[in-house]
């Protein structure tokens, strides 16, 4: 029997008074029904809610077969995507894989090296990537709902050409896996014409909620991750968090706690973990909440930290800086492995009192020490404890945050499922790049640029 | 003749009115004299101010010799340090090195693989690191002023033992390079007793200001970076930013601009760059400012972003979320290299209007597009432009931020050179770990931990 993720808000108690929860119980029920009955704003984007129990097993099988093929014929897998078509896969791969997987010997890794590209516009990065893949067998998973987002579209144009030159059109065709809309959009069209194996981004699931679809599953499976466990964890979370009762639902409690903290002036949420492999999970979390809630001139600012590393950089600020932040801490109970601290007869560093202890024990004490110190400094702490860091628990955690985000956004009174603000820069960009039809806007924008002041 | 770094605050103009600068001119002069005459709070930590022109050339030579030795006899260099003894070196190595340097073939890299350790307490990370270095020749650069900070001290105990078992005491002695205080502290003592080559952390330079000392120089030189160029850049910055006149000093203008923005409710500074290799430079910047200014219940909260990646995650929030943030953008004029976008007869992705352009051109337009969109959304933007991304300009930039930070902290009325809040968690940690002498505190803290709620 698997345990649940534990949510502990006792270390934020002075900011979350018992009688302040009560008024939220009804609001939460309302939000719950808006999610489950698809009656709220953004209801056309709620495919993720029941996804863990309706995810098509035939598609999962197809993903596993493609993954096996990639592992069989490729030294390198390039994953082309940005935003929700990048961060989820990166977060999962980092956690379920080896810290140094691309450097590990191939026979130990038993999977291709994996590199992300098309997630920015750096020429230096591209050239360095070309250095690395030189002489190796390469496959591509291009992930884009539309196929016209400029960063991945440019990268795909480049690497499609690269594969065609290297393997010919027929060879390249078998090495390009397109994860995209089932029927519309440039990438979907291109995939049909060229005959690339295709995987679905369901039309009712937005980018930042898509990690449990082919978007995250194909990269994970190709890298050797256990996607069945990931989906099972999510399905168990789906079952656990389907009660509308605030008192019985830790996922909804997290949503309420952060709303209460926000209303009391805690404008920044700092999400921290104690394992370096969680760094990009925190980035995924950041996108999930910032894009869902940062609108209408409001929203908690999501920031991230990697502890204990950042206790030695951000620690001073957390302890004594402006009192407008709270922390959400991710702790893992059982480490994957441990390392014992040895005895040193000279004891010059004074650490012999730790001899015979595991380093994970020290990590745990760092977590408890920082928790209490920060609370004493006036920073409320919410704590999420994972029993283990595994694909299964990652699935549970992903669903926990997705659902908490939906509830939290509705409690804030926004549509958590759109992102109208992202277009502003994209429109400017098309104009500045000279895309036909944007001539007037181009002139106006260029007049405002003051690059050589 | 090398160009200067350009600082452009015109895109924050509505928040920085001409008559608001005037009152700061005198305050800046005062802060300047406090820095240069060592008369302000924290004056015992001002060794960094004139460091670029007083850095000992004999020490630089010694560093180069050690670096040559490491490159000659090591496949792997482990850098053990945390906080200021980690982030500076990591920031510089990432920028001056190859994006995938540890994966690159040895003959192309012409330097050892470099891994950081002792910068957190993850057992998983340690075991993964042990996987990677298995069978390789290893040297260690341990960096710690005191030698008793728990994360690096544990890692050093572990890897010292590892080297002694592998090479014997005499062999290990030649592979351990200690960067520490010249005469006091546990690591200094240990280095003398064991006969390790030693490098100085000057007593009057704090961790977060130490990257231009042996702390950053030895790792950089060992990895093949040009430390002469780094120091020359810093020396040129030292000369350029030594005028006390606000009107003539872009470094001080940055310090004033962020103070003005903070006083107008911009509580968060988001530092962003458009090159992935700058990710950890942003982390270094974050420590510099958060630890220097986050005290006495105030201070700008420093956050970071990697663009254009994070325009697809944080972008929505920046465009339309709470209006309490400003951006400081780092842009590089001349790319290290470029990649041309090709023509595609089918043009399914609609990108043919970019055919023949370099991807760096697109990156530049993304920068300009986001800048204008965010300003239109109410987010003031400060822009720093580097002529090139090189060791030389990195030296200039590091000194720019160090000095801006000193001035800015004094303008905020704090001591920018201490970090009293960092001890709170360290004290708790010693108690919870059962260090002799902390028995009472241990009981009290343990009673407050609520781990199985």
């Amino acid at each position: 029997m698997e345990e649940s993720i534990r949510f502990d808000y006792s270390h934020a108690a002075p900011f979350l008074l018992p009688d302040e929860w009560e008024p939220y119980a009804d609001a939460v029920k309302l939000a719950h029904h808006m999610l489950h009955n698809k009656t709220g704003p953004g209801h056309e984007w709620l495919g993720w809610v029941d996804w863990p129990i309706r995810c098509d097993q035939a598609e999962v099988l197809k993903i596993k077969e493609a993954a096996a093929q990639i592992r069989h014929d490729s030294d390198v897998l390039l994953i082309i995507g940005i935003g929700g078509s990048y961060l989820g896969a990166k977060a999962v791969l980092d956690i379920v894989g080896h810290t140094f997987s691309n450097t590990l010997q191939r026979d130990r890794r038993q999977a291709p090296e994996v590199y992300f590209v098309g997630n920015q516009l750096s020429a230096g990065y591209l050239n360095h990537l070309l250095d690395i893949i030189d002489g190796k067998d390469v496959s591509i998973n291009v992930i884009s709902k539309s196929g016209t987002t400029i960063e991945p579209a440019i990268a795909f144009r480049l690497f499609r050409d690269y594969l065609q030159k290297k393997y010919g059109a027929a060879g390249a065709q078998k090495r390009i896996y397109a994860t995209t809309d089932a029927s519309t959009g440039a990438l979907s069209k291109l995939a049909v014409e060229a005959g690339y194996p295709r995987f679905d981004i369901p039309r009712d699931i937005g980018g930042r909620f898509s990690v449990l679809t082919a978007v995250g599953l194909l990269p994970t499976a190709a890298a050797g991750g256990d996607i069945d466990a990931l989906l099972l964890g999510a399905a168990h979370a789906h079952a656990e968090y389907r009660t509308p009762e605030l008192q019985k639902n830790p996922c909804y409690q997290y949503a309420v706690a952060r709303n209460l903290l926000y209303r009391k002036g805690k404008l920044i949420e700092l999400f921290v973990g104690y394992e370096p492999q969680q760094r990009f999970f925190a980035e995924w979390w950041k996108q999930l909440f910032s894009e869902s809630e940062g609108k209408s001139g409001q929203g908690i600012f999501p920031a991230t930290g990697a502890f204990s590393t950042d206790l030695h950089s951000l620690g001073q600020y957390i302890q004594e800086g402006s009192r407008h932040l709270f922390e959400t801490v991710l702790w893992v109970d059982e480490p994957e492995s441990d390392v014992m601290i040895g005895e040193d007869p000279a004891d010059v560093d004074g650490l012999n009192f730790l001899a015979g202890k595991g380093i994970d024990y020290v990590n745990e004490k760092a977590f408890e020490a920082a928790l209490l110190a920060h609370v004493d400094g006036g920073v409320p702490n919410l704590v999420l404890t994972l029993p283990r860091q595994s694909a299964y628990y990652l699935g549970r955690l992903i669903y926990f945050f997705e659902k908490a985000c939906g509830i939290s956004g509705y409690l804030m009174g926004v549509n958590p499922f759109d992102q109208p603000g992202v277009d502003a820069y994209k429109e400017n960009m098309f104009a500045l790049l000279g895309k036909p039809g944007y001539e007037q806007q181009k002139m106006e924008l260029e007049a405002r640029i003051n690059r050589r002041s």
Side-chain angles (χ1 to χ4, degrees), chain A:
Chain A
M1 179 60 189
E2 298 289 353
E3 296 169 68
S4 298
I5 293 168
R6 298 196 302 283
F7 175 59
D8 173 14
Y9 56 84
S10 67
H11 296 289
F15 295 89
L16 305 172
L17 303 179
D19 64 357
E20 292 171 334
W21 288 86
E22 188 54 33
Y24 273 100
D26 285 343
V28 158
K29 271 182 198 157
L30 189 64
H32 171 91
H33 291 299
M34 281 158 71
L35 278 189
H36 281 274
N37 302 332
K38 298 189 170 44
T39 53
H43 55 79
E44 65 275 34
W45 295 104
L46 290 172
W48 58 270
V49 175
D50 289 326
W51 181 255
I53 57 167
R54 71 180 179 85
C55 169
D56 180 9
Q57 282 306 309
E59 176 89 352
V60 172
L61 193 63
K62 206 176 111 197
I63 287 169
K64 286 182 188 169
E65 286 167 358
Q69 182 63 29
I70 293 168
R71 290 151 68 88
H72 172 69
D73 68 9
S74 306
D75 304 312
V76 167
L77 172 63
L78 299 182
I79 300 172
I80 298 177
I82 198 166
S85 298
Y86 149 63
L87 277 172
K90 172 72 174 156
V92 174
L93 256 55
D94 276 9
I95 287 184
V96 304
H98 192 283
T99 302
F100 306 101
S101 62
N102 285 344
T103 316
L104 207 59
Q105 285 159 324
R106 172 70 203 235
D107 59 333
R108 290 209 51 172
R109 187 176 53 234
Q110 301 194 310
E113 299 165 40
V114 177
Y115 299 98
F116 291 88
V117 63
N119 57 347
Q120 26 71 21
L121 293 160
S122 162
Y125 182 91
L126 274 174
N127 278 315
H128 288 171
L129 183 59
L130 290 167
D131 288 342
I132 280 291
I133 67 175
D134 189 36
K136 296 175 182 169
D137 276 318
V138 176
S139 289
I140 290 175
N141 181 201
V142 53
I143 308 170
S144 178
K145 194 168 256 184
S146 68
T148 53
T149 302
I150 211 152
E151 290 92 339
I154 290 176
F156 185 46
R157 202 175 248 229
L158 205 78
F159 284 102
R160 192 166 35 119
D161 189 51
Y162 180 94
L163 287 198
Q164 281 169 352
K165 284 188 176 130
K166 182 163 178 154
Y167 300 107
Q173 179 198 334
K174 292 179 194 149
R175 293 180 167 271
I176 295 175
Y177 300 83
T179 304
T180 186
D181 188 275
S183 58
T184 66
L187 180 57
S188 184
K189 186 167 170 238
L190 209 152
V192 171
E193 283 172 8
Y196 304 144
R198 278 186 304 144
F199 300 87
D200 264 15
I201 307 181
R203 204 160 299 167
D204 56 358
I205 298 183
R208 60 188 178 275
F209 288 86
S210 71
V211 54
L212 298 172
T213 71
V215 170
L217 295 180
L218 179 52
T220 302
D226 183 348
I227 62 174
D228 291 323
L230 194 69
L231 288 168
L232 182 66
H236 285 180
H238 177 272
E240 181 175 1
Y241 306 130
R242 70 184 307 172
T243 169
E245 301 296 332
L246 177 58
Q247 231 185 333
K248 295 177 185 164
N249 195 326
C251 170
Y252 295 2
Q253 288 164 12
Y254 171 63
V256 170
R258 53 199 301 286
N259 269 269
L260 273 169
L261 290 167
Y262 181 51
R263 290 170 76 157
K264 294 187 180 185
K266 302 304 177 190
L267 308 173
I268 299 168
E269 178 173 8
L270 185 64
F271 180 79
V272 303
Y274 281 79
E275 290 293 337
Q277 286 178 278
Q278 295 166 354
R279 189 179 282 273
F280 276 86
F281 183 80
E283 293 296 316
W284 171 83
W285 169 91
K286 193 194 276 180
Q287 179 188 7
L288 182 66
F289 280 93
S290 69
E291 217 166 55
S292 299
E293 299 185 337
K295 44 195 74 160
S296 307
Q298 57 85 66
I300 299 170
F301 182 83
T304 58
F307 285 178
S308 68
T309 305
D310 291 342
L311 290 170
H312 298 256
S313 61
L314 265 182
Q316 167 64 35
Y317 189 102
I318 299 168
Q319 196 66 45
E320 299 188 339
S322 303
R323 303 295 72 183
H324 50 37
L325 76 162
F326 70 98
E327 285 176 286
T328 295
V329 186
L330 184 63
W331 176 251
V332 179
D333 252 345
E334 297 292 332
E336 199 189 321
S337 64
D338 210 346
V339 176
M340 288 301 130
I341 299 167
E343 182 94 21
D344 174 13
D347 197 29
V348 181
D349 54 16
L351 291 182
N352 270 353
F353 71 103
L354 294 175
K357 297 276 205 300
I359 194 171
D360 185 69
Y361 167 79
V362 184
N363 205 15
E364 184 181 30
K365 297 306 150 189
F367 152 57
E368 294 172 355
L371 176 70
L372 297 178
H374 294 176
V375 168
D376 289 341
V379 176
N381 267 242
L382 306 174
V383 182
L384 281 161
T385 303
L386 286 190
R388 277 176 299 287
Q389 185 171 277
S390 63
Y392 172 83
Y393 277 109
L394 189 54
R396 277 185 99 122
L397 189 63
I398 285 168
Y399 192 82
F400 177 98
F401 280 127
E402 286 182 350
K403 200 164 192 197
C405 183
I407 296 290
S408 181
Y410 279 154
L411 293 178
M412 283 194 188
V414 298
N415 174 354
F417 307 112
D418 65 359
Q419 52 284 331
V422 177
D423 282 339
Y425 114 85
K426 289 184 182 171
E427 287 293 303
N428 282 0
M429 195 166 162
F430 282 134
L432 287 165
L433 285 169
K435 190 171 182 176
Y438 287 83
E439 290 76 9
Q440 178 64 27
Q441 207 180 334
K442 181 172 194 280
M443 267 172 41
E444 288 165 14
L445 291 171
E446 281 177 347
R448 292 174 56 201
I449 300 281
N450 173 26
R451 290 289 313 291
R452 296 277 169 182
S453 66

